């Protein structure tokens, strides 16, 4: 999960990912099987707003440093080959909305709700590919944190 809030975009994302989670395994290595993607509204403006998460998987350039830590659901250290980045320039290979839209009340609030989309393996990130995430909101100024959970398995792709 990102730790720093990012500004949502007001149109379909193109070449910027608010969050990028890259599978650095080599060919034949494990894929990331995404269980869920989620976001939390960190700052909502003083007007009613709505938002929806977008996700994309594609071959993206290597990320040189992790922007945030990856944690295991078991409480043990994560030792996989995943690198993370925020506010990353990416190649647009097809963004898709995930989950239902969420709405914020008509008053500014921090935080102001969130969304959890159960993907249940319908997104797979093969080796040397990345999961790119962003949020599209109806108002400029709304900010979010975002993330994903997954398990890893070697798949015949």
């Amino acid at each position: 999960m990102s730790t720093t809030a990012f500004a949502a975009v007001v149109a379909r994302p193109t070449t910027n990912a608010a969050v990028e989670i890259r599978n650095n395994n080599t060919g034949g290595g494990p894929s990331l099987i995404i269980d869920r993607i989620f976001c939390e509204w960190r700052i909502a403006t003083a007007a009613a707003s709505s938002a929806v998460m977008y996700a994309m998987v594609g071959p993206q350039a290597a990320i040189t440093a992790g922007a945030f830590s990856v944690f295991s659901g078991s409480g043990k250290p994560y030792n996989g080959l995943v690198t993370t980045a925020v506010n990353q320039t990416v190649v647009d290979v097809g963004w898709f909305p995930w989950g239902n839209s969420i709405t914020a009340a008509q008053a500014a609030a921090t935080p102001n709700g969130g969304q959890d989309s159960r993907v249940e393996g319908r997104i797979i990130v093969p080796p040397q590919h990345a999961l790119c995430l962003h949020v599209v909101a109806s108002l400029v100024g709304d900010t979010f944190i975002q993330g994903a959970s997954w398990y890893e398995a070697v798949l015949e792709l």
Side-chain angles (χ1 to χ4, degrees):
M1 178 174 65
S2 62
T3 55
T4 303
F6 60 86
V9 292
V10 294
R12 179 188 170 275
T14 56
T15 58
N16 177 266
V19 173
E20 183 177 350
I21 301 169
R22 187 170 194 279
N23 181 354
N24 290 314
N25 286 291
T26 57
S31 293
L32 309 181
I33 299 137
I34 307 302
D35 279 337
R36 64 193 267 261
I37 60 175
F38 53 89
C39 69
E40 181 185 358
W41 221 307
R42 296 306 298 162
I43 296 176
T45 57
S49 182
S50 62
V52 66
M53 295 184 295
Y54 271 72
M56 169 180 72
V57 173
Q60 303 295 337
I63 301 168
T64 57
F68 51 90
S69 296
V70 177
F71 294 96
S72 163
S74 68
K76 296 179 181 178
Y78 174 76
N79 295 317
L81 296 176
V82 166
T83 309
T84 61
V86 293
N87 195 28
Q88 192 77 0
T89 299
V90 296
V91 176
D92 183 354
V93 294
W95 291 90
F96 291 94
W98 277 92
N100 297 322
S101 64
I102 52 176
T103 57
Q106 292 186 351
T110 306
N112 199 7
Q115 180 185 18
D116 182 32
S117 181
R118 301 288 176 179
V119 176
E120 298 174 342
R122 292 185 309 269
I123 297 176
I124 296 173
V125 184
Q128 301 297 303
H129 286 64
L131 171 65
C132 301
L133 302 171
H134 217 312
V135 175
V136 174
S138 59
L139 293 175
V140 174
D142 288 356
T143 64
F144 295 81
I145 57 174
Q146 194 170 25
S149 64
W150 66 86
Y151 61 95
E152 298 178 16
V154 176
L155 303 173
E156 295 276 334
L157 298 175

